[in-house]
Amino acid sequence: MTGQLFRVELRRMVRHPLVWGMAALVLAVQIHLSRDQQPDLTVDPVHATGIATCLAGALLIVASLAVSRDGRHGMPELLAALPGRAEARTRAVLFAAVVVSVVGQAVVVGGYLLVRVLSGPAGGRLDVFEPLTALGVGALGAALGVAVGRWAGWLIAGPVVVGGLGLLTLFNTNPGSWWLPVVPTHWMDWPDRPSGPHLVYVLALAMLAGLAALLRHGRRPVVLVAAVVALAVAVPAGATAAAVRPAARFPIGKTLTLDDVDARVREKYFGRDAYRCEQREGVRYCALSDYTPWISLWAGVVAPIVRAMPPSARDRVPVVKQYTSSWSYTYEDGAAIAPMAWGADDQRKLLAQFFALNIGGFNKACSAHGQARMVVTLWLMGQSSTIARPGMLDLDGQMAAKPGVDYGDTEVGYAKLLLQSPAARERVWANWDTLMRPATTVEQALPLLGLPLRYPTSTPKGTPCP
């Protein structure tokens, strides 16, 4: 009887529009939110698990409605005449809901990660416990829905539980409490998550929820013993996960140094083997060991700038080095910063900007108004990015950066004119040394660049760049 009921409930749940509709929505939202970023296996599984929790919530509602069906609309009288009992129906709904939820989570999370891996070079390191946690959360949602439906029985009970857990998860940030089933907040340069103990904790909670649903039909010794065992596993596993402290916060009122970096990530990001470096077209690229596949993407931005420089000046190109935003006070002078995330226009523009400004000799906060070398620097930047007035650019979704060098519409305007000039490269190469001197003004450079006088004279707005 239980097997037949299981097959009936399984077909009903697979066909339920809330189940497949939510699965399609979750997958589409995940792909849409990450469409402009290169895949990062450190954070993508965490984000996928967080969003896929919506599917687990949908199964919780569907399971609670399914198991409480026999208590509505005169069903108790009709079912009383049948040989099946309520416990068999509970078990059938429980097994069906868990199977559909786990398979649905596997399809959604697995499909998303497959799309991400196929979308380009992937950086980061995959923690296999993270996608497995999505399956555990699916099982927990299904089992909890059956327990809620059996013990509460109200139509609104399932949605209320989903809403409550959703709010707790939403406000569980940075990185939050590990006593909740899902912790969707993580950053690529934070310490490793306690994913293993947390997965055990979630699986034990799922077992407890399923046993709680069966206990509604009587205190059977086997069920009670299993519940005690599940509880004995859940508590220490949850406590182990919760004991892991979050990333160290910046001390207030002191100068920060490498010693202030969280000890758990210091070796990974600043140790002897933290970086892997490659030489391409005369430029040295240094990526964190898990992000070397992105070097070719950075080279796509840097190479056009290098080719626009005269060969005799290419020995002044800076190293391109990847840095973490959480520990931004460790940035070194003389390096073009490659961010921890990649793909958005701002990130491409930021790398082109850092690289070109370094070539122009702009290493400190100052005013480059009226200097010819700023026009050339912006022209170099324009080889692989758009140019505009200095502004905040998204570094990696957590931190934004703005160049310390200031310049105005005059320099931008002439740089855009230079980009449109077919003879720009020949003129820049022929007059490179003169154009790159700090003392050469924009007006003095116009005849050398073959540009007409079109914009107002620009004067420094602060300390002139040396």
Side-chain angles (χ1 to χ4, degrees):
M1 178 63 71
T2 301
Q4 294 174 338
L5 287 173
F6 166 74
R7 288 190 289 273
V8 170
E9 294 295 346
L10 186 65
R11 286 194 296 269
R12 290 177 64 93
M13 289 192 181
V14 170
R15 296 171 181 173
H16 200 291
L18 185 58
V19 174
W20 56 260
M22 183 61 74
L25 178 62
V26 165
L27 183 58
V29 168
Q30 288 176 325
I31 294 174
H32 175 74
L33 291 177
S34 59
R35 68 193 183 281
D36 62 347
Q37 291 288 296
Q38 286 299 123
D40 188 335
L41 298 180
T42 300
V43 295
D44 279 348
V46 176
H47 297 162
T49 298
I51 300 178
T53 305
C54 297
L55 178 58
L59 261 297
L60 190 157
I61 295 173
V62 171
S64 68
L65 294 175
V67 80
S68 63
R69 187 191 312 124
D70 57 10
R72 305 193 302 268
H73 308 300
M75 288 295 290
E77 292 80 4
L78 294 174
L79 294 173
L82 298 177
R85 291 292 180 262
E87 184 175 359
R89 295 191 292 274
T90 299
R91 192 177 292 111
V93 174
L94 177 62
F95 292 160
V98 169
V99 168
V100 172
S101 189
V102 170
V103 172
Q105 294 284 77
V107 170
V108 168
V109 175
Y112 169 72
L113 293 179
L114 179 62
V115 169
R116 294 292 286 150
V117 170
L118 294 177
S119 65
R125 177 179 57 86
L126 176 64
D127 182 349
V128 296
F129 291 124
E130 295 293 351
L132 290 177
T133 299
L135 307 188
V137 170
L140 173 60
L144 186 58
V146 176
V148 168
R150 267 298 174 231
W151 283 95
W154 309 311
L155 291 176
I156 196 64
V160 168
V161 172
V162 169
L165 290 175
L167 287 175
L168 290 175
T169 302
L170 182 64
F171 293 110
N172 181 31
T173 58
N174 198 31
S177 169
W178 288 95
W179 287 109
L180 285 173
V182 178
V183 181
T185 305
H186 187 59
W187 210 246
M188 60 282 291
D189 57 1
W190 285 357
D192 292 339
R193 290 157 59 95
S195 53
H198 188 248
L199 173 60
V200 174
Y201 170 67
V202 170
L203 293 175
L205 287 184
M207 181 66 71
L208 272 174
L211 295 170
L214 296 177
L215 285 172
R216 184 68 175 86
H217 305 289
R219 299 177 182 178
R220 298 180 183 274
V222 174
V223 177
L224 283 173
V225 171
V228 171
V229 172
L231 186 62
V233 172
V235 172
T240 300
V244 175
R245 71 181 191 277
R249 296 183 178 275
F250 295 166
I252 299 175
K254 64 168 289 189
T255 301
L256 303 176
T257 67
L258 186 61
D259 293 334
D260 296 304
V261 174
D262 193 297
R264 292 167 295 171
V265 301
R266 191 179 301 147
E267 185 64 26
K268 181 177 180 180
Y269 295 112
F270 304 96
R272 178 179 300 177
D273 299 323
Y275 285 94
R276 300 288 184 271
C277 297
E278 297 180 11
Q279 194 85 7
R280 299 194 180 202
E281 296 189 38
V283 181
R284 184 173 175 81
Y285 298 86
C286 291
L288 292 164
S289 57
D290 293 329
Y291 293 86
T292 52
W294 289 1
I295 289 179
S296 60
L297 304 177
W298 302 336
V301 173
V302 170
I305 298 176
V306 175
R307 296 185 193 123
M309 298 174 62
S312 60
R314 291 177 186 174
D315 58 348
R316 65 191 298 172
V317 297
V319 62
V320 176
K321 192 171 183 180
Q322 188 178 27
Y323 285 96
T324 73
S325 62
S326 295
W327 323 108
S328 58
Y329 48 83
T330 61
Y331 289 175
E332 302 172 63
D333 292 335
I337 297 173
M340 288 292 292
W342 187 255
D345 289 341
D346 270 14
Q347 290 150 7
R348 296 174 57 86
K349 185 175 182 179
L350 196 69
L351 176 56
Q353 188 176 79
F354 275 125
F355 194 80
L357 287 174
N358 197 293
I359 292 171
F362 300 105
N363 298 317
K364 297 180 180 180
C366 57
S367 171
H369 291 81
Q371 294 190 357
R373 60 174 174 159
M374 177 50 71
V375 174
V376 177
T377 297
L378 292 174
W379 173 76
L380 289 173
M381 179 182 168
Q383 304 301 312
S384 57
S385 177
T386 58
I387 55 177
R389 290 287 301 276
M392 299 298 292
L393 297 174
D394 178 27
L395 190 64
D396 53 15
Q398 176 174 266
M399 179 181 174
K402 181 180 180 180
V405 181
D406 192 22
Y407 52 89
D409 292 331
T410 296
E411 291 73 34
V412 172
Y414 282 123
K416 290 182 177 180
L417 286 179
L418 192 59
L419 283 170
Q420 299 169 7
S421 172
R425 180 168 301 193
E426 290 76 9
R427 289 180 174 274
V428 169
W429 286 20
N431 301 284
W432 178 266
D433 292 337
T434 301
L435 293 170
M436 299 306 287
R437 291 193 191 109
T440 304
T441 65
V442 172
E443 287 70 25
Q444 292 170 340
L446 294 181
L448 302 178
L449 296 173
L451 299 179
L453 181 62
R454 180 172 297 183
Y455 300 101
T457 300
S458 182
T459 56
K461 302 297 190 294
T463 302
C465 293

